Amino acid sequence: MAEKQKNLFRRHTLADAGLRPAEVAQPNPAVVGTARLGQVGILLGRTLSMIFTARTDKGESWKMAYRFTNGSLVFILISMSFVGMIMVYQSTEQMARSVGDTSLVGASFLKILVRVLGPTVIGLLIACRVGAGIAAEIGAMAVTEQLDAMRMCAAEPIEALMVPRLRGGIAAGLILTVTGSAASILAGLLTGMIWFSISPNSYWNLDMITTSDVVQGMVKALVYGISVPIVSGACGLAARGGARGVGQATTDAVVGSSFTIIVLDSIISLLAHVASGGT
């Protein structure tokens, strides 16, 4: 018996000893997704419940709003300028070839920009720029046990970390949507004037834009400004396993925020369509 034990411990691997490692059950994706959705919902409810009553320094919220807005402004302006150029160029070229009339290019572009394109594209850009930063910051604090230290000091991490970021995300979503859309409109105007000789009066046709379009666009900007910090914060709070966990949390934040924006865009557009009587 002693000889068999010696031979067993001399083996280099479990396979050499005739043994197999215990199989670890893989988590069910449906269960993991449901749990993560529940975490996001709980975080959303707790953060919104403290958005007006949090004892955090109000200056921290202004700092977050400034950082999110100022840090993303150049990125948003350049990106949306190219979006405006591409949209106007392609639509004008297609309409010139098909019907030979480009008088409604500006009106149709302004309507789709205000209603869908502006807030949604800017929301996706914010998810990449701001969401990744939020997840990395909170994830680094989670894996280094700084969140546990805050709780031991009777400080609530959601109140201290998430509320200022939610306030900053709302401000950034609204401000960047307005400025980014303005940059896209101006870039589209210059594109139409230079390449297709479209007059400014023809381009600035607001007849197709309704109050419903403006309200829908601002509601989307507000909702996206809430969803990006919440989803990214939930991914950061769930980070485990050191640097690798922080990297995974950052990836999950960008993917989750982008997917959430697409889903919310569909839901809000459908509700607006139903509310307007299908027009």
Side-chain angles (χ1 to χ4, degrees):
M1 183 66 179
E3 186 65 26
K4 289 184 179 180
Q5 290 180 349
K6 286 183 180 180
N7 293 334
L8 176 62
F9 289 115
R10 286 173 183 171
R11 307 297 185 183
H12 296 289
T13 64
L14 292 175
D16 294 336
L19 302 175
R20 292 189 304 172
E23 295 183 358
V24 179
Q26 296 296 324
N28 190 333
V31 175
V32 174
T34 303
R36 181 58 60 87
L37 184 62
Q39 293 173 359
V40 172
I42 294 173
L43 181 61
L44 174 62
R46 294 187 62 185
T47 307
L48 288 178
S49 66
M50 292 185 285
I51 192 171
F52 297 112
T53 60
R55 296 169 295 176
T56 54
D57 182 14
K58 296 298 188 295
E60 186 67 18
S61 299
W62 287 109
K63 290 179 182 178
M64 290 297 168
Y66 175 80
R67 194 180 77 181
F68 294 163
T69 305
N70 187 64
S72 306
L73 184 60
V74 176
F75 172 56
I76 296 293
L77 291 179
I78 295 176
S79 300
M80 290 305 297
S81 295
F82 279 106
V83 170
M85 292 171 60
I86 294 170
M87 289 293 296
V88 170
Y89 183 86
Q90 292 293 337
S91 59
T92 306
E93 187 178 47
Q94 293 299 322
M95 292 186 69
R97 289 180 178 179
S98 58
V99 297
D101 183 13
T102 60
S103 60
L104 293 179
V105 169
S108 58
F109 171 66
L110 293 177
K111 183 178 180 64
I112 193 173
L113 180 72
V114 171
R115 187 171 186 171
V116 179
L117 190 64
T120 302
V121 173
I122 292 173
L124 293 173
L125 296 176
I126 292 175
C128 298
R129 176 64 175 79
V130 175
I134 293 175
E137 290 175 352
I138 299 180
M141 297 180 70
V143 300
T144 56
E145 300 180 354
Q146 295 182 49
L147 300 181
D148 296 332
M150 292 179 63
R151 296 185 182 98
M152 292 181 63
C153 296
E156 175 56 52
I158 294 179
E159 183 180 22
L161 300 176
M162 288 305 305
V163 172
R165 284 165 174 79
L166 178 61
R167 292 170 177 168
I170 293 174
L174 295 174
I175 294 173
L176 291 176
T177 296
V178 174
T179 55
S181 299
S184 185
I185 292 172
L186 181 59
L189 173 62
L190 295 176
T191 302
M193 291 174 59
I194 294 173
W195 271 278
F196 300 98
S197 300
I198 297 178
S199 66
N201 293 331
S202 175
Y203 182 86
W204 288 104
N205 187 353
L206 305 179
D207 293 339
M208 296 181 64
I209 299 179
T210 63
T211 304
S212 175
D213 298 330
V214 178
V215 172
Q216 185 179 159
M218 297 309 296
V219 168
K220 288 181 179 180
L222 175 63
V223 172
Y224 300 159
I226 295 174
S227 62
V228 170
I230 293 298
V231 174
S232 303
C235 294
L237 292 171
R240 299 292 185 273
R244 183 175 181 180
V246 175
Q248 185 63 45
T250 305
T251 302
D252 292 343
V254 175
V255 175
S257 299
S258 302
F259 179 74
T260 302
I261 288 172
I262 298 299
V263 173
L264 290 175
D265 180 32
S266 302
I267 294 175
I268 296 174
S269 298
L270 177 61
L271 293 177
H273 179 75
V274 173
S276 63
T279 58

